[in-house]
Amino acid sequence: MSSLVSLVNGCLMPAYDGRTPPDWIKRALDHGLAGVGLFGTNLLPPGGPLRHDIVDPLRAVRPDALIALDEEGGDVTRLDYHRGSVHPGNHALGAVDDTALTREVAEAIADDLVETGINLCLAPCADVNSRPANPIIGVRSFGATPDLVARHTRAFVSGLQGRGVAATLKHFPGHGDTGADSHDWLPDIPRSLDALRTLELPPFTAGGAAGARAVMTGHIRLPQVDDLPATLSRRIVTGLLREELGYDGVVISDALEMAPIRDRWGFGGAAVLAWSAGVDLVLLGATDGEKLLPEVYEAVERALREGELTVDRLEEAAARVAALRAWADPTALAGQGAGRAARASGDADAGTGIGLVAARRALTGVALPALPLAGPVHVLRLGAGTNMAVGEAPWGLAPCLERLGRLASAVEVDPGTDPFAIPLPGDGEGPLVAVVRDAVRDPWQQEVLAALRARRPGLLTVEMGLTPVPPPQAPTLLTRGAGLANAMAAAEHLTGRRWTGSLRA
């Protein structure tokens, strides 16, 4: 059993609870565990440096371990989970549509990851956001057309991997046309293979051609292709990704803890089906893995006995993962992170970093009043739900206005609050800004905005989510993301003041 455990461990990436790595995960690393996935549960409350608290203790056991997290920029960040990302996300970069800028932002993200000791980035999203009401992709996508998403996917991959961080294309074969959040429900995409090849696959082909070291499968179902979710489908993983697209890198599953997978197959059963389908590295999710690993080992033993899985398939998967570990070995990157400041020094805005430069370029306004606004600003932020990918990362405009010395007051409005019971801050004096996030798909936010505009004609709105289609008619500043960089760019634009320091200060 010990040799089988080592083999299975070489194809597994669990997580653990809390900030400090527990003994059980260190023992698993010592017995061949491929790596560890880091999630928001590991990062709050903030402690010491991430490298000191988490990464170095793991690497002390296995120097070449894959340590992975979601660092997409914008709304989805782990490095800046307690403050918001200092880089804009894909929606902003796609709107600017400058692939050189996208590559620069990806390079900056990679520099941060290298400095922290992270060698596997679970980004970029290569999904084409063809359904604006999609509840899980949205601003995480570069855009709504395959050509746009393909060229920026290629640029992002080149930026990350040029700095020595492995990139992961997700969520194969494309999560952009879903009407449900796959963390909670199994979305069906009623698309034929021919339609998939035209709309969803070009970004994955482009990212693969750029040398992406990994592809993550999505927990989505394509009934015209297979009854099983993509992660568990041999037709999709082996047939479409491996054989048709010719991809030979590491295939990673999306987190098996997501309800549609966990509730039906369990962690062990889903892991077996994923490996059998052609997945190489099984990501278990944020759930503490100490009790999950025995379940997976038992499921593998049973599947081997019953012929549902073969040792050859596991050895093939483990070999691919080992090759990725060798490519991303952080000992080969020693000193690269320290060069980040030197590389940035040639930029006119070196103090702020390329993230804020990019976020400024992504801003666009509709029917805006004369700017800068006169005097300190009152802010009403309308509460908006998030998904598991975004987690609890903070967002909003008030902290950045405060840093610029232009915040008069800030009021947080809980979701569901009676629109007519919301007091207007400042007694109607001074500029008022309503801050929303994805209001286009939230009837409550829309109702509140209508009520506020009736009471305060000309109310200025800052939309920090997906750009509405059609564009709004009322005065609106679009940030195209809710990261810290997006917020500071908006605060600068409204006040005429410039932030010249580090966003992490």
Side-chain angles (χ1 to χ4, degrees):
M1 179 65 177
S2 60
S3 61
L4 179 60
V5 166
S6 295
L7 177 59
V8 173
N9 279 351
C11 313
L12 270 177
M13 180 172 280
Y16 63 89
D17 281 341
R19 192 170 181 90
T20 303
D23 288 342
W24 74 262
I25 205 155
K26 295 178 182 178
R27 289 194 298 269
L29 285 167
D30 198 37
H31 287 85
L33 189 68
V36 179
L38 300 182
F39 295 85
T41 49
N42 304 116
L43 307 176
L44 288 178
L50 182 62
R51 180 162 199 148
H52 176 272
D53 289 358
I54 298 177
V55 176
D56 286 348
L58 295 172
R59 295 216 180 282
V61 181
R62 182 161 198 174
D64 68 343
L66 294 171
I67 301 181
L69 46 67
D70 295 283
E71 196 60 38
E72 300 176 14
D75 291 38
V76 179
T77 179
R78 300 295 178 259
L79 291 181
D80 293 300
Y81 194 63
H82 61 289
R83 68 164 66 88
S85 179
V86 300
H87 307 291
N90 288 1
H91 184 45
L93 295 173
V96 176
D97 197 13
D98 178 347
T99 54
L101 180 67
T102 295
R103 178 167 182 149
E104 282 188 80
V105 169
E107 288 172 343
I109 290 173
D111 289 343
D112 288 345
L113 294 170
V114 169
E115 191 170 313
T116 309
I118 306 297
N119 56 354
L120 176 58
C121 184
L122 303 180
C125 277
D127 304 300
V128 179
N129 197 52
S130 55
R131 183 184 293 200
N134 187 318
I136 184 62
I137 301 303
V139 295
R140 302 169 65 195
S141 169
F142 289 113
T145 61
D147 289 348
L148 173 69
V149 177
R151 61 179 173 266
H152 286 278
T153 297
R154 185 186 302 113
F156 202 99
V157 168
S158 298
L160 282 180
Q161 297 194 166
R163 294 286 204 257
V165 176
T168 307
L169 308 176
K170 60 185 186 184
H171 307 79
F172 189 84
H175 209 317
D177 190 26
T178 58
D181 182 347
S182 57
H183 292 90
D184 303 312
W185 308 95
L186 183 61
D188 277 351
I189 299 180
R191 213 184 282 297
S192 68
L193 264 178
D194 285 343
L196 200 72
R197 293 179 181 113
T198 299
L199 181 62
E200 313 287 355
L201 297 187
F204 292 96
T205 301
R213 307 299 300 191
V215 171
M216 176 181 283
T217 57
H219 297 333
I220 53 179
R221 197 173 72 98
L222 291 95
Q224 295 187 43
V225 180
D226 198 344
D227 288 333
L228 288 170
T231 299
L232 312 181
S233 169
R234 182 172 178 80
R235 291 179 184 175
I236 291 174
V237 178
T238 297
L240 188 58
L241 180 56
R242 293 285 191 212
E243 295 174 357
E244 181 171 329
L245 299 189
Y247 183 72
D248 195 38
V250 170
V251 178
I252 305 176
S253 76
D254 206 344
L256 297 192
E257 71 175 356
M258 292 160 67
I261 303 298
R262 179 199 64 221
D263 291 351
R264 179 169 177 185
W265 291 280
F267 286 95
V272 165
L273 285 172
W275 282 316
S276 181
V279 168
D280 302 307
L281 182 59
V282 166
L283 181 65
L284 296 179
T287 304
D288 188 86
E290 184 175 14
K291 294 181 180 178
L292 302 182
L293 294 186
E295 178 186 340
V296 173
Y297 302 150
E298 291 172 11
V300 169
E301 278 195 306
R302 184 168 56 251
L304 291 173
R305 284 196 308 269
E306 297 176 2
E308 297 170 355
L309 184 64
T310 67
V311 170
D312 286 349
R313 170 79 270 273
L314 288 173
E315 289 176 338
E316 176 189 52
R320 284 202 185 99
V321 175
L324 176 59
R325 286 201 322 273
W327 183 92
D329 188 341
T331 60
L333 301 175
Q336 279 199 20
R340 179 175 51 150
R343 282 192 291 271
S345 64
D347 194 292
D349 289 284
T352 63
I354 190 62
L356 183 52
V357 173
R360 289 168 181 157
R361 290 182 61 185
L363 289 174
T364 190
V366 177
L368 293 180
L371 296 175
L373 297 175
V377 180
H378 298 280
V379 176
L380 273 175
R381 195 194 78 160
L382 306 190
T386 62
N387 53 59
M388 285 180 65
V390 174
E392 299 177 15
W395 68 281
L397 193 62
C400 291
L401 288 170
E402 186 172 30
R403 290 169 81 170
L404 293 172
R406 301 301 280 174
L407 178 66
S409 68
V411 175
E412 303 287 319
V413 183
D414 293 332
T417 300
D418 181 349
F420 298 98
I422 300 171
L424 293 181
D427 296 323
E429 298 296 325
L432 173 64
V433 172
V435 181
V436 300
R437 188 179 191 177
D438 290 324
V440 69
R441 60 187 186 212
D442 183 347
W444 173 77
Q445 289 188 68
Q446 295 172 33
E447 187 179 359
V448 171
L449 284 177
L452 291 174
R453 286 166 181 157
R455 297 163 63 192
R456 187 79 174 260
L459 174 74
L460 175 58
T461 300
V462 175
E463 168 59 80
M464 301 193 74
L466 197 65
T467 300
V469 178
Q473 301 300 310
T476 305
L477 180 63
L478 304 169
T479 65
R480 298 185 166 108
L484 178 58
N486 304 103
M488 183 58 79
E492 290 180 331
H493 193 74
L494 295 177
T495 65
R497 296 193 173 187
R498 200 80 158 175
W499 182 257
T500 57
S502 167
L503 287 175
R504 292 192 173 111

